Amino acid sequence: MTTSSESLAIVTGASTGMGAATARELARRGYHVLAGVRRERDGQSLLDAGVEPVILDITDPGHIAALTARVEQDPRPLRALINNAGIPGAGPIEVTPLDEWRRIFEVNLFGHVAVIQALLPALVRGRGRIVNITSLNGRLSMAGYGPYASSKFAMEAMSDALRNELAPHGVPVVVVEPGGVKTAMAGHGTARLSDLGARMSPEQNERYGDLVQALPSHVAAFTEAGNTAEEAARTIAKAATVRRPRTRYTIGTTAAFLIGVSRFLPDRLLDRMTTADLRKHYRPVR
Ligand SMILES: NC(=O)c1ccc[n+]([C@@H]2O[C@H](COP(=O)([O-])OP(=O)(O)OC[C@H]3O[C@@H](n4cnc5c(N)ncnc54)[C@H](OP(=O)(O)O)[C@@H]3O)[C@@H](O)[C@H]2O)c1
């Protein structure tokens, strides 16, 4: 794979966090990066790094069509599509409204599928590759993480099918599975959870009150102990540019360890491990 501004790369969800850091890292490595942001003002700091911001909400067909047209009129080959955009979605299954489930899947799965469908002709022509950012929660689910983990498991399944479909056509599909990464995502999830908690009935509160109260602190501790967005971006950029990519990369030792053990530990033992970890964040008993 050539690494010069003769090549295009696209990063979705590049306003903050790993997406912004990956856009910068790929620009530093010589790519012309089209970085998806939802608001013009979020593109300003990327311009300084030599990145071209494009307005892209991955759930908006008009935005996707405009991005596709932008790529089609560019003579440079599209070498990498990094599907990074994502939203949090913690909450117990019973009390997470169906509309909320749909919104999470709309962004964390269907939006990526729509972007891939639109850009595949350009990727095949450019002998490019697809990098899908999933999560440790795409391989391991636990109490309180159901909606988010379901969307990330679905992204993993989609990626496995796509990898096999595109293998004969020269487009590698790579999955990157981050553990905790210090970004704004944890904070976004916390605001949602306090709304969810406030809407629970007394009976639901009896069942899930402790869990809903523990989740923000669990998420915060997990991400704070994690990697920086810049460290994560180096792994994502490697997955996007290395000559012979692996099918999967993890980010962080916790993700590598937990994904590794989840492949052979019995479910009940994994359940005990994840529950014990959550319980450290329950309110102290008075
Ligand atoms: N941080 C972690 O610990 C962690 C762990 C595992 C996996 N991940 C995954 O890593 C990816 C990046 O997350 P991050 O931690 O860097 O969080 P982040 O800073 O919150 O970044 C998420 C990005 O997605 C964008 N986005 C949200 N909805 C979108 C939509 N409908 N269309 C286009 N873009 C949209 C956001 O844009 P706005 O600013 O406009 O909202 C933002 O640029 C996500 O897929 C996330 O699930 C994160």
Side-chain angles (χ1 to χ4, degrees):
M1 177 172 284
T2 56
T3 53
S4 71
S5 56
E6 297 302 304
S7 303
L8 294 179
I10 296 174
V11 182
T12 69
S15 66
T16 53
M18 281 182 254
T22 301
R24 287 197 175 88
E25 179 65 26
L26 286 173
R28 208 180 54 74
R29 292 181 186 211
Y31 286 82
H32 182 82
V33 182
L34 303 175
V37 295
R38 293 195 295 173
R39 290 162 298 267
E40 242 172 80
R41 66 183 142 87
D42 290 331
Q44 288 307 317
S45 63
L46 291 168
L47 279 171
D48 301 341
V51 169
E52 179 184 334
V54 291
I55 294 297
L56 179 66
D57 182 322
I58 61 168
T59 66
D60 184 322
H63 290 176
I64 296 174
L67 171 63
T68 310
R70 165 69 189 81
V71 170
E72 292 295 332
Q73 57 83 38
D74 197 307
R76 293 170 287 196
L78 176 58
R79 297 289 197 191
L81 167 63
I82 321 289
N83 292 305
N84 165 78
I87 55 173
I93 310 277
E94 182 186 350
V95 299
T96 302
L98 264 182
D99 279 350
E100 183 66 10
W101 276 89
R102 291 194 178 98
R103 196 178 70 85
I104 293 163
F105 270 75
E106 209 55 60
V107 179
N108 290 358
L109 181 68
F110 302 134
H112 298 303
V113 173
V115 171
I116 289 167
Q117 287 177 339
L119 291 169
L120 249 173
L123 284 162
V124 172
R125 264 200 321 277
R127 299 195 73 73
R129 75 177 57 160
I130 295 170
V131 179
N132 289 335
I133 312 304
T134 63
S135 172
L136 161 63
N137 287 129
R139 303 289 292 281
L140 181 70
S141 189
M142 57 196 284
Y145 287 76
Y148 178 73
S150 300
S151 70
K152 292 293 189 180
F153 267 67
M155 183 79 164
E156 291 265 348
M158 185 273 283
S159 304
D160 283 340
L162 192 65
R163 184 179 67 249
N164 284 284
E165 289 171 8
L166 296 182
H169 307 289
V171 177
V173 176
V174 187
V175 169
V176 177
E177 298 159 337
V181 180
K182 298 179 187 85
T183 68
M185 181 166 271
H188 299 155
T190 302
R192 265 192 60 263
L193 270 168
S194 73
D195 287 352
L196 200 69
R199 287 199 307 266
M200 289 193 308
S201 68
E203 187 189 325
Q204 291 171 336
N205 205 43
E206 186 74 23
R207 270 200 282 283
Y208 309 115
D210 285 342
L211 174 61
V212 169
Q213 170 273 322
L215 282 168
S217 139
H218 185 257
V219 173
F222 184 69
T223 50
E224 268 315 299
N227 293 86
T228 63
E230 289 68 29
E231 286 163 345
R234 284 196 282 278
T235 301
I236 298 169
K238 179 180 173 188
T241 58
V242 72
R243 206 163 72 82
R244 291 168 65 84
R246 303 203 315 244
T247 57
R248 285 184 161 75
Y249 293 82
T250 51
I251 294 175
T253 47
T254 307
F257 171 74
L258 286 174
I259 290 170
V261 298
S262 71
R263 290 161 78 169
F264 59 83
L265 284 188
D267 287 345
R268 301 267 183 227
L269 188 49
L270 276 172
D271 291 353
R272 278 207 292 280
M273 278 171 61
T274 56
T275 303
D277 192 41
L278 261 170
R279 281 190 182 277
K280 289 186 213 151
H281 299 269
Y282 276 32
R283 262 189 219 104
V285 181
R286 266 163 264 163

PDB file of all heavy atoms in Angstrom, residues 8-40:
ATOM      1  N   LEU A   8      -6.403   8.555  -0.617  1.00  0.00           N
ATOM      2  CA  LEU A   8      -7.443   9.082   0.270  1.00  0.00           C
ATOM      3  C   LEU A   8      -7.716   8.100   1.404  1.00  0.00           C
ATOM      4  O   LEU A   8      -7.644   6.883   1.217  1.00  0.00           O
ATOM      5  CB  LEU A   8      -8.768   9.240  -0.486  1.00  0.00           C
ATOM      6  CG  LEU A   8      -8.895  10.256  -1.616  1.00  0.00           C
ATOM      7  CD1 LEU A   8     -10.296  10.194  -2.207  1.00  0.00           C
ATOM      8  CD2 LEU A   8      -8.578  11.659  -1.108  1.00  0.00           C
ATOM      9  N   ALA A   9      -8.064   8.650   2.563  1.00  0.00           N
ATOM     10  CA  ALA A   9      -8.576   7.835   3.673  1.00  0.00           C
ATOM     11  C   ALA A   9      -9.770   8.583   4.265  1.00  0.00           C
ATOM     12  O   ALA A   9      -9.789   9.824   4.267  1.00  0.00           O
ATOM     13  CB  ALA A   9      -7.500   7.623   4.730  1.00  0.00           C
ATOM     14  N   ILE A  10     -10.760   7.846   4.727  1.00  0.00           N
ATOM     15  CA  ILE A  10     -11.943   8.463   5.350  1.00  0.00           C
ATOM     16  C   ILE A  10     -12.037   7.973   6.792  1.00  0.00           C
ATOM     17  O   ILE A  10     -11.887   6.771   7.055  1.00  0.00           O
ATOM     18  CB  ILE A  10     -13.228   8.061   4.581  1.00  0.00           C
ATOM     19  CG1 ILE A  10     -13.179   8.620   3.151  1.00  0.00           C
ATOM     20  CG2 ILE A  10     -14.481   8.546   5.309  1.00  0.00           C
ATOM     21  CD1 ILE A  10     -14.328   8.146   2.267  1.00  0.00           C
ATOM     22  N   VAL A  11     -12.296   8.904   7.702  1.00  0.00           N
ATOM     23  CA  VAL A  11     -12.528   8.540   9.109  1.00  0.00           C
ATOM     24  C   VAL A  11     -13.881   9.116   9.504  1.00  0.00           C
ATOM     25  O   VAL A  11     -14.091  10.336   9.402  1.00  0.00           O
ATOM     26  CB  VAL A  11     -11.439   9.117  10.040  1.00  0.00           C
ATOM     27  CG1 VAL A  11     -11.683   8.677  11.480  1.00  0.00           C
ATOM     28  CG2 VAL A  11     -10.041   8.712   9.584  1.00  0.00           C
ATOM     29  N   THR A  12     -14.805   8.291   9.953  1.00  0.00           N
ATOM     30  CA  THR A  12     -16.096   8.812  10.425  1.00  0.00           C
ATOM     31  C   THR A  12     -16.008   9.099  11.928  1.00  0.00           C
ATOM     32  O   THR A  12     -15.192   8.508  12.637  1.00  0.00           O
ATOM     33  CB  THR A  12     -17.253   7.816  10.145  1.00  0.00           C
ATOM     34  OG1 THR A  12     -17.099   6.666  10.992  1.00  0.00           O
ATOM     35  CG2 THR A  12     -17.293   7.390   8.684  1.00  0.00           C
ATOM     36  N   GLY A  13     -16.838  10.024  12.388  1.00  0.00           N
ATOM     37  CA  GLY A  13     -16.838  10.361  13.824  1.00  0.00           C
ATOM     38  C   GLY A  13     -15.525  10.984  14.249  1.00  0.00           C
ATOM     39  O   GLY A  13     -14.924  10.566  15.245  1.00  0.00           O
ATOM     40  N   ALA A  14     -15.080  11.996  13.490  1.00  0.00           N
ATOM     41  CA  ALA A  14     -13.734  12.547  13.721  1.00  0.00           C
ATOM     42  C   ALA A  14     -13.744  13.871  14.478  1.00  0.00           C
ATOM     43  O   ALA A  14     -12.744  14.576  14.508  1.00  0.00           O
ATOM     44  CB  ALA A  14     -13.012  12.704  12.382  1.00  0.00           C
ATOM     45  N   SER A  15     -14.881  14.229  15.109  1.00  0.00           N
ATOM     46  CA  SER A  15     -14.911  15.512  15.827  1.00  0.00           C
ATOM     47  C   SER A  15     -14.067  15.464  17.093  1.00  0.00           C
ATOM     48  O   SER A  15     -13.492  16.476  17.500  1.00  0.00           O
ATOM     49  CB  SER A  15     -16.355  15.885  16.203  1.00  0.00           C
ATOM     50  OG  SER A  15     -16.871  14.963  17.138  1.00  0.00           O
ATOM     51  N   THR A  16     -14.005  14.304  17.727  1.00  0.00           N
ATOM     52  CA  THR A  16     -13.330  14.171  19.027  1.00  0.00           C
ATOM     53  C   THR A  16     -12.675  12.785  19.116  1.00  0.00           C
ATOM     54  O   THR A  16     -12.791  11.975  18.189  1.00  0.00           O
ATOM     55  CB  THR A  16     -14.344  14.270  20.193  1.00  0.00           C
ATOM     56  OG1 THR A  16     -15.394  13.316  19.955  1.00  0.00           O
ATOM     57  CG2 THR A  16     -14.951  15.654  20.331  1.00  0.00           C
ATOM     58  N   GLY A  17     -12.051  12.525  20.253  1.00  0.00           N
ATOM     59  CA  GLY A  17     -11.616  11.181  20.639  1.00  0.00           C
ATOM     60  C   GLY A  17     -10.743  10.468  19.612  1.00  0.00           C
ATOM     61  O   GLY A  17      -9.871  11.067  18.976  1.00  0.00           O
ATOM     62  N   MET A  18     -11.005   9.178  19.484  1.00  0.00           N
ATOM     63  CA  MET A  18     -10.163   8.331  18.621  1.00  0.00           C
ATOM     64  C   MET A  18     -10.258   8.729  17.160  1.00  0.00           C
ATOM     65  O   MET A  18      -9.298   8.605  16.405  1.00  0.00           O
ATOM     66  CB  MET A  18     -10.602   6.871  18.755  1.00  0.00           C
ATOM     67  CG  MET A  18     -10.098   6.209  19.995  1.00  0.00           C
ATOM     68  SD  MET A  18     -10.616   4.480  20.020  1.00  0.00           S
ATOM     69  CE  MET A  18     -11.875   4.559  21.245  1.00  0.00           C
ATOM     70  N   GLY A  19     -11.446   9.180  16.722  1.00  0.00           N
ATOM     71  CA  GLY A  19     -11.615   9.557  15.319  1.00  0.00           C
ATOM     72  C   GLY A  19     -10.749  10.747  14.958  1.00  0.00           C
ATOM     73  O   GLY A  19     -10.045  10.739  13.940  1.00  0.00           O
ATOM     74  N   ALA A  20     -10.778  11.779  15.805  1.00  0.00           N
ATOM     75  CA  ALA A  20      -9.953  12.971  15.557  1.00  0.00           C
ATOM     76  C   ALA A  20      -8.476  12.591  15.568  1.00  0.00           C
ATOM     77  O   ALA A  20      -7.700  13.013  14.696  1.00  0.00           O
ATOM     78  CB  ALA A  20     -10.246  14.043  16.604  1.00  0.00           C
ATOM     79  N   ALA A  21      -8.079  11.789  16.555  1.00  0.00           N
ATOM     80  CA  ALA A  21      -6.663  11.401  16.665  1.00  0.00           C
ATOM     81  C   ALA A  21      -6.249  10.541  15.469  1.00  0.00           C
ATOM     82  O   ALA A  21      -5.130  10.668  14.962  1.00  0.00           O
ATOM     83  CB  ALA A  21      -6.437  10.651  17.982  1.00  0.00           C
ATOM     84  N   THR A  22      -7.138   9.680  14.992  1.00  0.00           N
ATOM     85  CA  THR A  22      -6.803   8.819  13.832  1.00  0.00           C
ATOM     86  C   THR A  22      -6.693   9.656  12.564  1.00  0.00           C
ATOM     87  O   THR A  22      -5.795   9.433  11.738  1.00  0.00           O
ATOM     88  CB  THR A  22      -7.874   7.717  13.667  1.00  0.00           C
ATOM     89  OG1 THR A  22      -7.924   6.946  14.869  1.00  0.00           O
ATOM     90  CG2 THR A  22      -7.553   6.808  12.493  1.00  0.00           C
ATOM     91  N   ALA A  23      -7.584  10.642  12.403  1.00  0.00           N
ATOM     92  CA  ALA A  23      -7.509  11.506  11.223  1.00  0.00           C
ATOM     93  C   ALA A  23      -6.152  12.211  11.199  1.00  0.00           C
ATOM     94  O   ALA A  23      -5.464  12.250  10.174  1.00  0.00           O
ATOM     95  CB  ALA A  23      -8.650  12.519  11.240  1.00  0.00           C
ATOM     96  N   ARG A  24      -5.744  12.723  12.362  1.00  0.00           N
ATOM     97  CA  ARG A  24      -4.453  13.423  12.441  1.00  0.00           C
ATOM     98  C   ARG A  24      -3.297  12.468  12.153  1.00  0.00           C
ATOM     99  O   ARG A  24      -2.353  12.795  11.446  1.00  0.00           O
ATOM    100  CB  ARG A  24      -4.263  14.022  13.832  1.00  0.00           C
ATOM    101  CG  ARG A  24      -5.130  15.224  14.076  1.00  0.00           C
ATOM    102  CD  ARG A  24      -4.612  16.028  15.282  1.00  0.00           C
ATOM    103  NE  ARG A  24      -5.375  17.232  15.415  1.00  0.00           N
ATOM    104  CZ  ARG A  24      -6.508  17.321  16.113  1.00  0.00           C
ATOM    105  NH1 ARG A  24      -6.985  16.265  16.750  1.00  0.00           N
ATOM    106  NH2 ARG A  24      -7.169  18.458  16.170  1.00  0.00           N
ATOM    107  N   GLU A  25      -3.388  11.253  12.752  1.00  0.00           N
ATOM    108  CA  GLU A  25      -2.296  10.273  12.586  1.00  0.00           C
ATOM    109  C   GLU A  25      -2.152   9.867  11.118  1.00  0.00           C
ATOM    110  O   GLU A  25      -1.033   9.772  10.593  1.00  0.00           O
ATOM    111  CB  GLU A  25      -2.612   9.042  13.467  1.00  0.00           C
ATOM    112  CG  GLU A  25      -1.602   7.914  13.404  1.00  0.00           C
ATOM    113  CD  GLU A  25      -0.225   8.287  13.966  1.00  0.00           C
ATOM    114  OE1 GLU A  25      -0.144   9.180  14.827  1.00  0.00           O
ATOM    115  OE2 GLU A  25       0.770   7.675  13.492  1.00  0.00           O
ATOM    116  N   LEU A  26      -3.276   9.670  10.421  1.00  0.00           N
ATOM    117  CA  LEU A  26      -3.197   9.268   9.007  1.00  0.00           C
ATOM    118  C   LEU A  26      -2.685  10.416   8.149  1.00  0.00           C
ATOM    119  O   LEU A  26      -1.939  10.198   7.190  1.00  0.00           O
ATOM    120  CB  LEU A  26      -4.564   8.777   8.516  1.00  0.00           C
ATOM    121  CG  LEU A  26      -4.980   7.389   9.031  1.00  0.00           C
ATOM    122  CD1 LEU A  26      -6.422   7.083   8.635  1.00  0.00           C
ATOM    123  CD2 LEU A  26      -4.049   6.296   8.489  1.00  0.00           C
ATOM    124  N   ALA A  27      -3.054  11.651   8.500  1.00  0.00           N
ATOM    125  CA  ALA A  27      -2.543  12.815   7.758  1.00  0.00           C
ATOM    126  C   ALA A  27      -1.022  12.906   7.949  1.00  0.00           C
ATOM    127  O   ALA A  27      -0.273  13.140   7.002  1.00  0.00           O
ATOM    128  CB  ALA A  27      -3.228  14.090   8.231  1.00  0.00           C
ATOM    129  N   ARG A  28      -0.594  12.663   9.198  1.00  0.00           N
ATOM    130  CA  ARG A  28       0.845  12.686   9.500  1.00  0.00           C
ATOM    131  C   ARG A  28       1.585  11.622   8.678  1.00  0.00           C
ATOM    132  O   ARG A  28       2.720  11.795   8.284  1.00  0.00           O
ATOM    133  CB  ARG A  28       1.021  12.414  11.001  1.00  0.00           C
ATOM    134  CG  ARG A  28       2.271  13.020  11.617  1.00  0.00           C
ATOM    135  CD  ARG A  28       2.362  12.703  13.103  1.00  0.00           C
ATOM    136  NE  ARG A  28       2.282  11.277  13.404  1.00  0.00           N
ATOM    137  CZ  ARG A  28       3.242  10.393  13.198  1.00  0.00           C
ATOM    138  NH1 ARG A  28       4.388  10.774  12.696  1.00  0.00           N
ATOM    139  NH2 ARG A  28       3.079   9.108  13.504  1.00  0.00           N
ATOM    140  N   ARG A  29       0.880  10.487   8.439  1.00  0.00           N
ATOM    141  CA  ARG A  29       1.503   9.406   7.655  1.00  0.00           C
ATOM    142  C   ARG A  29       1.369   9.633   6.145  1.00  0.00           C
ATOM    143  O   ARG A  29       1.699   8.759   5.360  1.00  0.00           O
ATOM    144  CB  ARG A  29       0.876   8.066   8.036  1.00  0.00           C
ATOM    145  CG  ARG A  29       1.206   7.637   9.456  1.00  0.00           C
ATOM    146  CD  ARG A  29       0.594   6.287   9.786  1.00  0.00           C
ATOM    147  NE  ARG A  29       0.793   5.948  11.186  1.00  0.00           N
ATOM    148  CZ  ARG A  29       0.930   4.715  11.646  1.00  0.00           C
ATOM    149  NH1 ARG A  29       0.900   3.698  10.815  1.00  0.00           N
ATOM    150  NH2 ARG A  29       1.083   4.505  12.939  1.00  0.00           N
ATOM    151  N   GLY A  30       0.828  10.781   5.762  1.00  0.00           N
ATOM    152  CA  GLY A  30       0.859  11.150   4.351  1.00  0.00           C
ATOM    153  C   GLY A  30      -0.429  10.952   3.573  1.00  0.00           C
ATOM    154  O   GLY A  30      -0.447  11.167   2.362  1.00  0.00           O
ATOM    155  N   TYR A  31      -1.499  10.543   4.229  1.00  0.00           N
ATOM    156  CA  TYR A  31      -2.781  10.384   3.525  1.00  0.00           C
ATOM    157  C   TYR A  31      -3.514  11.720   3.419  1.00  0.00           C
ATOM    158  O   TYR A  31      -3.373  12.575   4.302  1.00  0.00           O
ATOM    159  CB  TYR A  31      -3.685   9.386   4.271  1.00  0.00           C
ATOM    160  CG  TYR A  31      -3.231   7.962   4.107  1.00  0.00           C
ATOM    161  CD1 TYR A  31      -2.204   7.455   4.898  1.00  0.00           C
ATOM    162  CD2 TYR A  31      -3.799   7.130   3.145  1.00  0.00           C
ATOM    163  CE1 TYR A  31      -1.752   6.160   4.743  1.00  0.00           C
ATOM    164  CE2 TYR A  31      -3.349   5.841   2.983  1.00  0.00           C
ATOM    165  CZ  TYR A  31      -2.327   5.357   3.787  1.00  0.00           C
ATOM    166  OH  TYR A  31      -1.885   4.079   3.617  1.00  0.00           O
ATOM    167  N   HIS A  32      -4.334  11.839   2.383  1.00  0.00           N
ATOM    168  CA  HIS A  32      -5.286  12.948   2.360  1.00  0.00           C
ATOM    169  C   HIS A  32      -6.550  12.430   3.059  1.00  0.00           C
ATOM    170  O   HIS A  32      -7.239  11.540   2.536  1.00  0.00           O
ATOM    171  CB  HIS A  32      -5.608  13.411   0.946  1.00  0.00           C
ATOM    172  CG  HIS A  32      -6.533  14.577   0.976  1.00  0.00           C
ATOM    173  ND1 HIS A  32      -6.096  15.867   1.184  1.00  0.00           N
ATOM    174  CD2 HIS A  32      -7.887  14.649   0.916  1.00  0.00           C
ATOM    175  CE1 HIS A  32      -7.137  16.683   1.226  1.00  0.00           C
ATOM    176  NE2 HIS A  32      -8.238  15.969   1.067  1.00  0.00           N
ATOM    177  N   VAL A  33      -6.831  12.974   4.228  1.00  0.00           N
ATOM    178  CA  VAL A  33      -7.902  12.419   5.060  1.00  0.00           C
ATOM    179  C   VAL A  33      -9.175  13.244   4.947  1.00  0.00           C
ATOM    180  O   VAL A  33      -9.156  14.469   5.152  1.00  0.00           O
ATOM    181  CB  VAL A  33      -7.459  12.344   6.551  1.00  0.00           C
ATOM    182  CG1 VAL A  33      -8.565  11.707   7.400  1.00  0.00           C
ATOM    183  CG2 VAL A  33      -6.168  11.554   6.696  1.00  0.00           C
ATOM    184  N   LEU A  34     -10.271  12.564   4.617  1.00  0.00           N
ATOM    185  CA  LEU A  34     -11.608  13.164   4.685  1.00  0.00           C
ATOM    186  C   LEU A  34     -12.178  12.744   6.031  1.00  0.00           C
ATOM    187  O   LEU A  34     -12.371  11.549   6.287  1.00  0.00           O
ATOM    188  CB  LEU A  34     -12.486  12.654   3.540  1.00  0.00           C
ATOM    189  CG  LEU A  34     -11.948  12.868   2.120  1.00  0.00           C
ATOM    190  CD1 LEU A  34     -12.861  12.207   1.090  1.00  0.00           C
ATOM    191  CD2 LEU A  34     -11.825  14.360   1.824  1.00  0.00           C
ATOM    192  N   ALA A  35     -12.399  13.728   6.900  1.00  0.00           N
ATOM    193  CA  ALA A  35     -12.781  13.420   8.284  1.00  0.00           C
ATOM    194  C   ALA A  35     -14.238  13.823   8.521  1.00  0.00           C
ATOM    195  O   ALA A  35     -14.577  15.000   8.389  1.00  0.00           O
ATOM    196  CB  ALA A  35     -11.857  14.161   9.253  1.00  0.00           C
ATOM    197  N   GLY A  36     -15.069  12.861   8.871  1.00  0.00           N
ATOM    198  CA  GLY A  36     -16.494  13.123   9.082  1.00  0.00           C
ATOM    199  C   GLY A  36     -16.761  13.827  10.401  1.00  0.00           C
ATOM    200  O   GLY A  36     -16.370  13.346  11.474  1.00  0.00           O
ATOM    201  N   VAL A  37     -17.407  14.996  10.313  1.00  0.00           N
ATOM    202  CA  VAL A  37     -17.855  15.720  11.515  1.00  0.00           C
ATOM    203  C   VAL A  37     -19.307  16.136  11.288  1.00  0.00           C
ATOM    204  O   VAL A  37     -19.740  16.271  10.148  1.00  0.00           O
ATOM    205  CB  VAL A  37     -16.991  16.979  11.809  1.00  0.00           C
ATOM    206  CG1 VAL A  37     -15.564  16.592  12.155  1.00  0.00           C
ATOM    207  CG2 VAL A  37     -17.006  17.955  10.642  1.00  0.00           C
ATOM    208  N   ARG A  38     -20.047  16.335  12.365  1.00  0.00           N
ATOM    209  CA  ARG A  38     -21.468  16.690  12.194  1.00  0.00           C
ATOM    210  C   ARG A  38     -21.713  18.189  12.204  1.00  0.00           C
ATOM    211  O   ARG A  38     -22.783  18.635  11.834  1.00  0.00           O
ATOM    212  CB  ARG A  38     -22.307  15.989  13.274  1.00  0.00           C
ATOM    213  CG  ARG A  38     -22.305  14.478  13.063  1.00  0.00           C
ATOM    214  CD  ARG A  38     -23.370  13.794  13.851  1.00  0.00           C
ATOM    215  NE  ARG A  38     -23.175  13.896  15.285  1.00  0.00           N
ATOM    216  CZ  ARG A  38     -24.064  13.492  16.166  1.00  0.00           C
ATOM    217  NH1 ARG A  38     -25.227  13.005  15.769  1.00  0.00           N
ATOM    218  NH2 ARG A  38     -23.805  13.579  17.465  1.00  0.00           N
ATOM    219  N   ARG A  39     -20.732  18.948  12.704  1.00  0.00           N
ATOM    220  CA  ARG A  39     -20.889  20.403  12.765  1.00  0.00           C
ATOM    221  C   ARG A  39     -19.630  21.048  12.204  1.00  0.00           C
ATOM    222  O   ARG A  39     -18.514  20.584  12.487  1.00  0.00           O
ATOM    223  CB  ARG A  39     -21.077  20.869  14.219  1.00  0.00           C
ATOM    224  CG  ARG A  39     -22.405  20.474  14.846  1.00  0.00           C
ATOM    225  CD  ARG A  39     -22.335  20.573  16.359  1.00  0.00           C
ATOM    226  NE  ARG A  39     -21.347  19.671  16.896  1.00  0.00           N
ATOM    227  CZ  ARG A  39     -21.620  18.430  17.318  1.00  0.00           C
ATOM    228  NH1 ARG A  39     -22.852  17.972  17.299  1.00  0.00           N
ATOM    229  NH2 ARG A  39     -20.660  17.642  17.780  1.00  0.00           N
ATOM    230  N   GLU A  40     -19.854  22.131  11.435  1.00  0.00           N
ATOM    231  CA  GLU A  40     -18.714  22.787  10.787  1.00  0.00           C
ATOM    232  C   GLU A  40     -17.628  23.175  11.783  1.00  0.00           C
ATOM    233  O   GLU A  40     -16.444  22.987  11.531  1.00  0.00           O
ATOM    234  CB  GLU A  40     -19.208  24.025  10.041  1.00  0.00           C
ATOM    235  CG  GLU A  40     -18.938  23.906   8.549  1.00  0.00           C
ATOM    236  CD  GLU A  40     -19.582  25.033   7.776  1.00  0.00           C
ATOM    237  OE1 GLU A  40     -19.009  26.131   7.751  1.00  0.00           O
ATOM    238  OE2 GLU A  40     -20.671  24.767   7.243  1.00  0.00           O
TER     239      GLU A  40
END
